[in-house]
Amino acid sequence: EEEFLRACEKVHFCTDDGSRGEKAFAPQVLENLLKSGQTFDRVYATGPVGMMQALADVTKPYNIRTIVSLNPIMVDGIGMCGGCRVLVGGEVRFACVDGPDFDAQQVDFESLRKRNLTYVEQETSQDHACRIETQPRVLR
């Protein structure tokens, strides 16, 4: 937050509960600002896939460069496992090595949404326990 405030002429904050900035969803705030005549050089977004797609839909008619930071499942961090595979501009990219930031107008959000559902059953399983918390700590 502090870095954006130092680097940008205007920064607009919003949260769905109103705890920071305007109580609204980001695409709504952006659309209202654009309709009021405000202009933007670039939009950066990170968060839920649906929100990033909605922001891309808002910025597209205004031809505003929109950068989204994707967070699909990443296993090895070197692109070998393919878990973070995403279609960008019709080509396969790997978020862990080619991203995670991409041009929102080029991201295939539908395939990303489907891919993110791959492990939802395991992630929501009641049997899951974080092993990091149960492993003995090794001091070096």
Side-chain angles (χ1 to χ4, degrees):
E1 187 174 302
E2 291 174 8
E3 289 179 40
F4 275 112
L5 290 169
R6 281 195 303 270
C8 301
E9 197 174 297
K10 293 180 187 176
V11 180
H12 300 272
F13 296 100
C14 65
T15 55
D16 58 353
D17 65 359
S19 61
R20 178 68 172 103
E22 187 176 343
K23 181 179 179 174
F25 294 110
Q28 297 165 324
V29 171
L30 180 59
E31 188 165 25
N32 291 340
L33 291 167
L34 291 167
K35 285 181 178 179
S36 75
Q38 290 195 41
T39 60
F40 298 92
D41 298 322
R42 191 162 295 162
V43 170
Y44 294 94
T46 187
V49 172
M51 182 212 57
M52 292 188 289
Q53 182 176 12
L55 283 167
D57 292 344
V58 169
T59 60
K60 188 174 185 171
Y62 293 91
N63 200 30
I64 299 171
R65 183 162 166 94
T66 304
I67 307 299
V68 291
S69 187
L70 305 182
N71 59 352
I73 293 170
M74 294 186 202
V75 177
D76 62 15
I78 58 172
M80 294 299 293
C81 73
C84 66
R85 186 171 53 244
V86 62
L87 289 173
V88 180
E91 295 183 23
V92 173
R93 297 284 184 230
F94 299 94
C96 70
V97 293
D98 298 320
D101 301 331
F102 298 97
D103 180 337
Q105 305 306 329
Q106 299 296 311
V107 173
D108 181 337
F109 285 103
E110 188 56 34
S111 68
L112 175 60
R113 189 178 343 278
K114 287 178 183 175
R115 189 155 190 75
N116 281 349
L117 293 174
T118 303
Y119 297 104
V120 75
E121 185 178 327
Q122 291 87 342
E123 291 172 344
T124 58
S125 168
Q126 297 298 322
D127 297 330
H128 174 75
C130 179
R131 291 189 304 253
I132 288 177
E133 295 173 3
T134 61
Q135 296 297 314
R137 291 183 179 244
V138 177
L139 299 176
R140 294 177 188 211

